[in-house]
Amino acid sequence: MNAPIAIVIHGGSGRLYKEEMPPEKEEAYKSALTAAVQEGYAILKEGGTAVAAVEASIRMLEDSPLFNAGKGAVFSSDGLNELDAAIMDGKTMKAGSVAGTRTIRNPITAARAVMEQSEHVMLTGAGADGFAAASGLQIVDPSYFKIEERWEQIQQLKQQEQASGKQSKYGTVGAVALDRSGSLAAGTSTGGMLNKKWGRIGDTPVIGAGTYANQISAVSCTGYGEFFIRYTVARDIAALMEYKNLSVEEASREVLFNKVTRAGGAGGVITLDVKGNMAALHSTEGMFWASMIKDNPCQVNVCNMIIE
Ligand code: ASP
């Protein structure tokens, strides 16, 4: 089969205030998203799998300090970086995820290793770190994740806690891809919610909540994770497409706006179907996302995140 190839990535939903976004920084986001989407697309173009493309794009975003994933992960209330990631192969319905990891440089690669090299779906904490080390993945000292800007962010939040609603929030990363054989995959990676406590885990590594793929669709989410878990957002979007024949746009809209937003949650989703139709929707002020669909030119969306 020679299906159309497609990849959509996101760099988180939320808001960014104009004063924090000088033109150089905006450019940096644009080039990071462009490079990541092109990396995944190049793999698809060479006949690589959707899983490989998703992993490659997400790894690039994890290595960038700009996003709340990998290198740029936010801090927990204890001043730690605890990272979550998941990947799902729609062709085989296999999935892997890691949660609350502290030393894995690329959590998405660890999630893929869980999927392909273990009999499990989800590993957490020290166990996930140990599994990654035993699998020969790149392990780093936790100080690798200590980025000054993120550290200041948590200090400021602690000082102001609740005092000001003007806190920028953005940066989880995700990807959905369709390869030449017609297979779909989805992946998501995050540092979770800034100031999270008590080993909190969000929707990202929960299959069916923040990440899901089957033979019909692939979905990656970002936003207020507790809502995405309770409304099983990624799976619900896929189920509406599977059982009700809704389009990517209709299914994504229904779950994001009629369920999550109505319940008081906010966030964004990227969804792709087996024909290469995509949706990139957000109920927050903005969402960073980029796409390369079939032979269409690369689309990168950064400006919608920035508010006056
Ligand atoms: N969904 C992520 C979480 O709740 C955070 C985000 O997407 O911004 O951990």
Side-chain angles (χ1 to χ4, degrees):
M1 184 172 165
N2 231 3
I5 55 172
I7 180 159
V8 188
I9 64 172
H10 70 75
S13 64
R15 54 176 183 255
L16 254 174
Y17 291 93
K18 186 122 188 129
E19 64 259 28
E20 298 168 303
M21 197 68 163
E24 326 71 88
K25 199 162 175 190
E26 192 178 330
E27 247 349 279
Y29 276 102
K30 266 190 200 146
S31 35
L33 288 163
T34 307
V37 78
Q38 284 174 342
E39 178 86 1
Y41 189 82
I43 290 175
L44 298 170
K45 190 124 192 151
E46 283 159 19
T49 63
V51 167
V54 162
E55 183 198 357
S57 290
I58 292 180
R59 274 181 74 100
M60 285 197 81
L61 298 171
E62 285 178 339
D63 286 343
S64 162
L66 296 173
F67 301 93
N68 172 20
K71 178 88 181 139
V74 295
F75 283 92
S76 71
S77 99
D78 294 333
L80 301 170
N81 305 101
E82 296 173 326
L83 288 72
D84 307 331
I87 195 161
M88 184 158 186
D89 182 349
K91 180 180 174 185
T92 59
M93 296 298 285
K94 286 188 166 179
S97 75
V98 291
T101 71
R102 293 190 190 158
T103 62
I104 304 171
R105 176 172 165 154
N106 292 107
I108 194 68
T109 298
R112 186 175 177 186
V114 172
M115 172 170 83
E116 291 176 349
Q117 296 166 34
S118 86
E119 61 202 47
H120 307 299
V121 169
M122 189 173 196
L123 301 181
T124 65
D129 284 313
F131 167 81
S135 305
L137 305 188
Q138 199 171 349
I139 299 301
V140 290
D141 186 86
S143 61
Y144 165 81
F145 301 108
K146 191 169 176 185
I147 295 212
E148 209 42 52
E149 193 181 325
R150 296 290 195 194
W151 183 247
E152 273 167 29
Q153 199 181 23
I154 183 90
Q155 302 313 320
Q156 272 172 22
L157 183 78
K158 289 200 158 186
Q159 276 165 19
Q160 306 159 356
E161 206 140 12
Q162 317 296 340
S164 150
K166 211 177 171 190
Q167 178 77 33
S168 291
K169 284 201 170 120
Y170 57 92
T172 289
V173 306
V176 289
L178 171 68
D179 66 31
R180 279 217 195 291
S181 73
S183 300
L184 290 152
T188 318
S189 181
T190 189
M193 301 267 265
L194 174 65
N195 206 26
K196 62 188 180 181
K197 299 180 178 70
W198 302 304
R200 178 262 186 194
I201 306 285
D203 59 314
T204 297
V206 178
I207 299 302
T211 308
Y212 189 79
N214 61 17
Q215 287 171 14
I216 296 163
S217 64
V219 188
S220 171
C221 306
T222 166
Y224 195 157
E226 279 66 9
F227 286 87
F228 284 73
I229 295 175
R230 291 194 280 122
Y231 286 87
T232 56
V233 171
R235 170 60 197 157
D236 234 35
I237 292 172
L240 286 173
M241 293 172 65
E242 186 176 352
Y243 301 134
K244 295 270 188 186
N245 267 323
L246 261 57
S247 70
V248 274
E249 176 80 22
E250 290 164 343
S252 306
R253 199 164 276 287
E254 171 65 23
V255 183
L256 183 62
F257 295 109
N258 287 343
K259 304 281 185 197
V260 176
T261 312
R262 277 202 188 159
V269 301
I270 51 171
T271 310
L272 190 60
D273 75 8
V274 79
K275 292 193 178 131
N277 299 307
M278 64 158 283
L281 300 176
H282 51 91
S283 62
T284 46
E285 283 89 344
M287 179 166 77
F288 288 132
W289 65 273
S291 64
M292 289 186 80
I293 305 284
K294 302 171 193 169
D295 290 321
N296 298 333
C298 177
Q299 261 211 63
V300 184
N301 296 272
V302 165
C303 302
N304 69 25
M305 272 293 271
I306 307 160
I307 52 178
E308 301 286 337

